[in-house]
Amino acid sequence: MPRLLEVKGLTAGYGMIEVLHDMSVHIDEGEIVTIIGANGAGKTTTLHCLSGLVPARQGKILLRGQEIQNLPPHEIVLLGLSQSPEGRRIFPRLSVLENLQMGAFTRSDKPQIAKDIEHCYDLFPILKERQQQLGGTLSGGEQQMLAVARAILSRPKLLLLDEPSLGLAPLIVLKIFEVIRKLNQEGMSVILVEQNARMALKLAHRGYVLETGRITATGSGQSLLDDPKVQEAYLGH
């Protein structure tokens, strides 16, 4: 499979604090790749570097061979990378429909945007029922569905999902993971950062273990599930 994203020797942080140290990962076209690790390992910082929110201090980030590490976030979205952030960050005073339209802010193909919004309603029927409701009045699970739907309205080649199951009821989590699988079957590649390591590794083709800003293990989702060290540290064995 052709390489979609390649990260080479990425170093990044905030102020005096270095969070990521010489990190290298990749994702091929059509893959779901998960990054697991303890709180503070650098998972969210990794995603923020990929989407241009945190500058890289060293290293390269290549999206389909093009360097993106110095580009502003809106240009990275135009190149086909979109993020659904931790904490959802929907627009509470906008309706569900307006939130979805904001996801398509880089696009001008109105008929196709309308079709894509209908596709989001097929994926998450509750959003259709709630389309005129203000985002801030939705339940946590509905807000998470809205955050994922909004992220896919830019038609990304690569979708970054940061803790999509955080704080949600198990049934809602199953629904969101089912949609991630469906989007992948439709051709979208996904990088998933997820505290529910077992579910993430079952869904993912490959995974990386991140510890204090360094990749310490990588392999297929199944091989990491079977790894005694991973089981002990992240799977509650």
Side-chain angles (χ1 to χ4, degrees):
M1 282 187 290
R3 191 118 322 161
L4 176 59
L5 182 91
E6 189 151 23
V7 177
K8 299 177 177 177
L10 179 63
T11 297
Y14 307 92
M16 301 293 288
I17 300 164
E18 192 172 285
V19 178
L20 302 176
H21 318 287
D22 194 26
M23 179 188 187
S24 295
V25 299
H26 73 271
I27 178 166
D28 292 333
E29 298 268 5
E31 275 193 312
I32 299 175
V33 169
T34 189
I35 301 173
I36 63 169
N39 283 342
K43 303 186 300 295
T44 293
T45 302
T46 300
L47 295 191
H48 283 179
C49 283
L50 300 183
S51 54
L53 298 169
V54 172
R57 293 180 178 176
Q58 282 181 311
K60 290 183 176 179
I61 303 169
L62 301 160
L63 184 63
R64 287 187 163 159
Q66 179 177 344
E67 287 191 29
I68 63 168
Q69 70 272 7
N70 296 317
L71 295 180
H74 68 277
E75 286 186 27
I76 293 174
V77 171
L78 284 169
L79 290 172
L81 185 150
S82 183
Q83 180 170 351
S84 173
E86 183 181 6
R88 299 151 203 161
R89 308 247 180 120
I90 58 147
F91 299 102
R93 291 164 190 265
L94 297 183
S95 70
V96 166
L97 177 58
E98 288 165 337
N99 266 277
L100 292 175
Q101 288 166 338
M102 288 297 284
F105 79 101
T106 57
R107 298 171 56 187
S108 56
D109 49 334
K110 286 200 169 127
Q112 194 56 53
I113 291 170
K115 272 190 188 168
D116 289 350
I117 288 173
E118 282 304 319
H119 181 46
C120 286
Y121 290 157
D122 288 343
L123 293 171
F124 298 115
I126 192 73
L127 295 183
K128 183 160 193 171
E129 289 175 36
R130 303 266 194 270
Q131 60 185 307
Q132 297 308 326
Q133 233 175 279
L134 296 185
T137 65
L138 301 179
S139 71
E142 290 161 356
Q143 287 189 16
Q144 184 62 64
M145 291 176 194
L146 180 56
V148 172
R150 182 183 61 186
I152 62 179
L153 254 297
S154 68
R155 293 207 139 185
K157 308 286 182 295
L158 177 58
L159 177 64
L160 311 182
L161 296 172
D162 196 355
E163 301 287 11
S165 82
L166 196 62
L168 301 183
L171 275 176
I172 304 281
V173 174
L174 285 174
K175 172 68 182 167
I176 284 169
F177 271 68
E178 182 190 308
V179 167
I180 296 168
R181 182 180 280 112
K182 205 169 192 175
L183 290 169
N184 180 246
Q185 286 166 350
E186 291 170 4
M188 200 176 287
S189 304
V190 179
I191 295 181
L192 175 63
V193 159
E194 178 54 63
Q195 37 119 33
N196 188 332
R198 186 183 304 279
M199 273 190 84
L201 289 170
K202 280 183 178 171
L203 181 69
H205 300 103
R206 286 189 308 111
Y208 292 96
V209 178
L210 188 62
E211 289 179 18
T212 56
R214 288 186 168 83
I215 298 292
T216 57
T218 182
S220 69
Q222 191 57 51
S223 70
L224 290 173
L225 277 169
D226 294 339
D227 183 323
K229 284 184 187 165
V230 173
Q231 287 177 2
E232 191 179 338
Y234 304 107
L235 305 178
H237 278 231

